[in-house]
Amino acid sequence: MKIINAKAILLDMDGTLVQSTSEVEIVWAKWCEMNNIPIQSVLDICHGVRSRDVILEVAPFLDIEEQVELLNNLEIEYSKAGKAVAGAGHFLNALAPYSWAVVTSASQRVAYLRMEACGLKLPKLVIGSDDVVNGKPHPEPYLLAAERLGIATKDCLVFEDAPAGIQSALASGCRVVQVGGIDKLFDEVEVVIQNWEQVKVSGVDADIVKISFTELN
């Protein structure tokens, strides 16, 4: 068993708390069809990355603001189709007394809609795509979350599933738990979990949360 103490827990949403991969890919497929863009060029880079940054990469000739708004509306249309990752709700409920936030590449509006639709507890702080100039894998999203919580990044523990998100968290100075997979995507990742049943929350004092990790049988 491994135990990590932290002053704040920061969590990605899509793929970490919400099973939304199929919905995200449906939205991108519709957008690609509208704009005659090869879907694979998007799927290769879209997970964990802001819509704005994906568009700039695959179709910089389009009106960026117009396309971001279009994608945001499509995401809202499909926001109720996702489901919570098994065990994520229990974990969030256990975090209630402590400092925690969601840091996502989705817009704030989409984030709240997805989490509400899944019945997940809503945090007091959500850092979305519309809150930062630079999205993941840039460290700005996690730096901003830590700043708004008033906690140093070295005292924050991040749960992330996508390479871009893990890079963002590590670059900000946070400690990182990788959600999903068997092997670490980056050497600096401290723990890899396959599901939330491997994670338990218990308090140390009013300011510190103790997270214990168990291996799968």
Side-chain angles (χ1 to χ4, degrees):
M1 178 181 289
K2 182 179 179 70
I3 296 175
I4 299 178
N5 292 337
K7 292 184 178 179
I9 305 298
L10 308 179
L11 303 110
D12 173 51
M13 181 183 68
D14 292 314
T16 299
L17 299 174
V18 178
Q19 295 176 358
S20 54
T21 299
S22 60
E23 287 70 38
V24 169
E25 292 185 354
I26 287 171
V27 166
W28 277 115
K30 288 183 175 294
W31 180 82
C32 286
E33 185 178 358
M34 291 176 184
N35 292 286
N36 196 30
I37 304 292
I39 181 62
Q40 195 58 49
S41 66
V42 169
L43 295 182
D44 286 343
I45 62 172
C46 71
H47 294 293
V49 178
R50 294 188 306 173
S51 299
R52 175 183 301 276
D53 298 321
V54 175
I55 298 166
L56 285 169
E57 179 69 23
V58 302
F61 48 85
L62 294 176
D63 184 314
I64 299 300
E65 300 305 326
E66 179 182 284
Q67 297 304 313
V68 167
E69 182 65 20
L70 172 60
L71 274 161
N72 195 52
N73 289 336
L74 284 171
E75 285 190 286
I76 289 168
E77 181 180 345
Y78 286 90
S79 286
K80 295 183 179 180
K83 295 181 180 180
V85 174
H90 179 74
F91 180 74
L92 295 185
N93 290 337
L95 284 179
Y98 308 102
S99 294
W100 66 284
V102 167
V103 183
T104 175
S105 292
S107 69
Q108 279 217 19
R109 187 179 177 191
V110 168
Y112 281 116
L113 283 172
R114 277 196 185 139
M115 292 187 69
E116 284 181 332
C118 293
L120 291 173
K121 183 179 182 64
L122 299 177
K124 294 180 180 179
L125 175 65
V126 171
I127 300 297
S129 61
D130 31 9
D131 293 302
V132 295
V133 175
N134 302 290
K136 302 173 185 178
H138 193 280
E140 183 181 349
Y142 283 105
L143 289 170
L144 181 59
E147 179 185 337
R148 290 191 177 175
L149 290 174
I151 296 173
T153 55
K154 67 181 178 62
D155 294 319
C156 296
L157 182 63
V158 170
F159 288 79
E160 267 279 5
D161 72 309
I166 294 173
Q167 284 180 288
S168 173
L170 290 173
S172 74
C174 294
R175 304 174 75 180
V176 178
V177 175
Q178 178 182 315
V179 181
I182 302 299
D183 300 319
K184 294 180 180 181
L185 293 174
F186 300 92
D187 290 340
E188 298 89 343
V189 168
E190 302 218 4
V191 183
V192 179
I193 63 169
Q194 284 73 52
N195 63 63
W196 288 102
E197 293 181 358
Q198 296 174 255
V199 187
K200 183 179 180 181
V201 178
S202 57
V204 176
D205 59 35
D207 299 319
I208 298 175
V209 57
K210 178 171 70 176
I211 310 290
S212 58
F213 302 89
T214 57
E215 295 181 2
L216 288 175
N217 294 326

